[in-house]
Amino acid sequence: MRRLENQTFLLLLVAVTLAFAWILAPFYGAILWAVVVAVIFAPMNRRLQQRMGGRPNLAAATTVLIVIAIVILPLALITASLLQEASALYAKVQSGEFNLARYSQRVFDALPAWATGLLDRFNLTDLGKVRDSLTAGLVKGGQAAAPQALSIGLNTFDFIIGGGIMLYLLFFLLRDGKALAERIKQVLPLRAGQKTALFARFADVVRATVKGSVLVAMAQGALGGLAFWFLGIHPALLWAVLMAFVSLVPAIGAGLVWVPVAIYLLATGSVWQGVSLILYGVLVIGLVDNLLRPFLIGKDTKLPDYIVLISTLGGIQVFGLNGFVIGPLIAAMFMVTWEIFSASRQASPESEA
């Protein structure tokens, strides 16, 4: 009878948990980012609490205001400017002012004979067909992006609600995060050392993903956008955001954007601009990752590059933009769980026998 009651209670607990998760599903993005931001700004919140005489409410509220000032407002301004530039670019493509076929023709005309032979080997000598495909792809991409931009405008209220929920949860996570973590630790059926390792790896991966990936991508995008603005390549902000996004994916980097632009500049006679962009991209943009990433996260918390690549791409495919955090986080939790399981098996008497 006792066993039947335990099984019934376990089934009820699972059902209630699934129902609760289903209710929270529409706000998973807000919950995710509340947890991520709380982990990132927890050290700052602790220092503020010490300086404010141990008042957790005041420290948490101050931290939330700091997050709004240095994260939320700049992102809102950049997003608004980006939408304006993207809309202007799409209008130029539709009106014919921005003619990709003309620009690609200038590049192909400037190619040397060996490059033309290489294109012939890959059946790319039909330049008109290639230009038409590129133009059609750009127009199709603009047509796909335009409804998304309109959807963003129409769903502004939902975005504001999600942001409000994120900030609301952030306040309580900063204030009660330590106590909440201790309560979760008590429930987990693991030994004390295993619980500590699991929570430490969770915090390390969140900090590594956000500080190591997002900040490095933002730095590379900002530096690339500054170079494009100086060279008169517009829209500079759109290129900067694009470089930041491709920098989030390992093994790709901002070179996917600035290298073709540099080639175009060289092929169209802008030699010093093209050479300057190549030198700047290699010596400045390319070195940001090697210089900033170890400083921000250290080498001990870094996942293997192939794991980061697969988990990031898979996370983005499944969860969208939030996947660049969720993917590596799931991979890290799997790895640390596997390590705990392996260590437990090696330490058990059955494995020795």
Side-chain angles (χ1 to χ4, degrees):
M1 181 65 68
R2 182 71 175 177
R3 183 177 180 182
L4 181 60
E5 291 178 356
N6 291 337
Q7 291 177 350
T8 303
F9 177 76
L10 181 60
L11 291 175
L12 179 62
L13 179 62
V14 171
V16 172
T17 302
L18 292 176
F20 186 65
W22 178 72
I23 292 173
L24 296 179
F27 306 104
Y28 88 93
I31 298 172
L32 168 69
W33 285 107
V35 174
V36 168
V37 176
V39 171
I40 296 298
F41 285 87
M44 175 188 294
N45 182 72
R46 287 194 294 267
R47 289 193 295 267
L48 288 174
Q49 187 172 345
Q50 292 175 357
R51 295 183 179 181
M52 294 177 177
R55 290 181 285 182
N57 289 321
L58 181 59
T62 304
T63 305
V64 171
L65 292 177
I66 293 175
V67 170
I68 294 174
I70 68 176
V71 178
I72 304 298
L73 291 180
L75 283 178
L77 294 175
I78 291 175
T79 302
S81 301
L82 178 64
L83 290 176
Q84 291 180 356
E85 289 196 355
S87 300
L89 178 61
Y90 177 70
K92 289 181 179 180
V93 173
Q94 288 291 84
S95 64
E97 181 180 352
F98 180 82
N99 192 332
L100 183 62
R102 183 173 64 250
Y103 293 137
S104 60
Q105 181 65 56
R106 294 176 62 183
V107 174
F108 288 130
D109 291 342
L111 291 177
W114 64 267
T116 305
L118 186 63
L119 291 175
D120 184 41
R121 183 174 302 178
F122 288 98
N123 297 322
L124 296 175
T125 53
D126 190 357
L127 302 183
K129 185 177 180 180
V130 173
R131 292 194 306 269
D132 293 340
S133 299
L134 291 175
T135 304
L138 184 59
V139 172
K140 184 178 180 180
Q143 291 174 347
Q148 296 297 326
L150 180 60
S151 176
I152 292 174
L154 294 176
N155 296 328
T156 302
F157 180 74
D158 294 338
F159 178 78
I160 293 175
I161 293 296
I165 292 175
M166 189 273 288
L167 294 175
Y168 180 79
L169 291 176
L170 176 61
F171 172 81
F172 289 101
L173 289 175
L174 290 171
R175 191 191 68 176
D176 306 325
K178 186 176 181 180
L180 180 60
E182 291 298 328
R183 295 181 65 179
I184 295 176
K185 284 183 180 180
Q186 293 176 2
V187 177
L188 291 178
L190 299 173
R191 292 193 294 268
Q194 296 172 342
K195 296 177 183 179
T196 302
L198 189 64
F199 275 74
R201 180 60 64 90
F202 176 85
D204 289 341
V205 172
V206 169
R207 294 192 182 100
T209 302
V210 177
K211 293 173 62 178
S213 298
V214 176
L215 293 183
V216 170
M218 290 175 61
Q220 290 182 325
L223 291 172
L226 182 63
F228 279 29
W229 173 79
F230 181 78
L231 294 175
I233 302 172
H234 300 289
L237 179 60
L238 186 62
W239 291 115
V241 173
L242 183 59
M243 279 188 278
F245 272 113
V246 297
S247 297
L248 289 173
V249 183
I252 296 181
L256 188 65
V257 177
W258 64 260
V259 169
V261 175
I263 294 175
Y264 169 78
L265 292 174
L266 292 175
T268 55
S270 302
V271 179
W272 77 267
Q273 291 94 333
V275 172
S276 300
L277 184 57
I278 292 175
L279 294 176
Y280 184 84
V282 173
L283 299 178
V284 179
I285 301 176
L287 291 180
V288 166
D289 183 80
N290 296 328
L291 295 177
L292 283 184
R293 195 179 297 273
F295 173 75
L296 291 173
I297 65 174
K299 297 181 179 180
D300 295 335
T301 59
K302 185 178 180 181
L303 294 172
D305 291 338
Y306 61 91
I307 295 293
V308 177
L309 175 62
I310 296 174
S311 61
T312 301
L313 293 177
I316 293 175
Q317 179 69 26
V318 176
F319 299 102
L321 185 59
N322 296 323
F324 80 88
V325 174
I326 300 177
L329 184 59
I330 293 176
M333 291 299 100
F334 170 78
M335 294 181 67
V336 71
T337 305
W338 184 271
E339 293 171 2
I340 291 174
F341 175 77
S342 300
S344 299
R345 292 285 296 174
Q346 294 175 1
S348 63
E350 295 180 0
S351 63
E352 295 177 359

